[in-house]
Amino acid sequence: MSTAILTGAPVAGSSLEDGLRSLGFDVRTATDAAAVTAQLATVPADERVALVDPRFVGHVHALRLALTDPRFPAAAVRGALSVQPEARTALARAVTATAATART
């Protein structure tokens, strides 16, 4: 299974979580960059992982194209990105750097 991490609290009334689940994602929520780092560490290394802004506004098909296309190790649309296992290290480095910047 793939995992989607919402990078903040879900927007009330949004169908985003349902849309992500319909695409086969286990949906989790992280409140800040440090929590994203912690969530990433719990996702098995052989799984696809997506980071999604909870304010994402778009059709579920846009998410499907950006987050589930197997041809690319990383893909994104405004407000959402997905990486396959081979790109997880780069994502983890970027999130860690963001978390470090947020603390200073």
Side-chain angles (χ1 to χ4, degrees):
M1 177 176 267
S2 300
T3 299
I5 301 169
L6 295 178
T7 58
V11 175
S14 171
S15 62
L16 180 59
E17 289 180 87
D18 291 336
L20 290 165
R21 286 188 184 97
S22 76
L23 295 173
F25 285 92
D26 172 36
V27 180
R28 303 176 185 183
T29 301
T31 57
D32 57 23
V36 171
T37 301
Q39 287 286 352
L40 278 174
T42 68
V43 177
D46 63 340
E47 288 186 10
R48 173 188 304 269
V49 66
L51 300 182
V52 183
D53 186 322
R55 301 166 296 178
F56 176 86
V57 176
H59 198 276
V60 70
H61 293 298
L63 285 173
R64 180 182 54 79
L65 289 171
L67 303 183
T68 66
D69 191 330
R71 296 176 294 170
F72 309 105
V77 294
R78 184 175 290 232
L81 69 91
S82 174
V83 298
Q84 293 193 58
E86 59 267 32
R88 290 273 303 271
T89 301
L91 176 63
R93 279 195 311 262
V95 170
T96 300
T98 301
T101 302
R103 284 191 298 266
T104 59

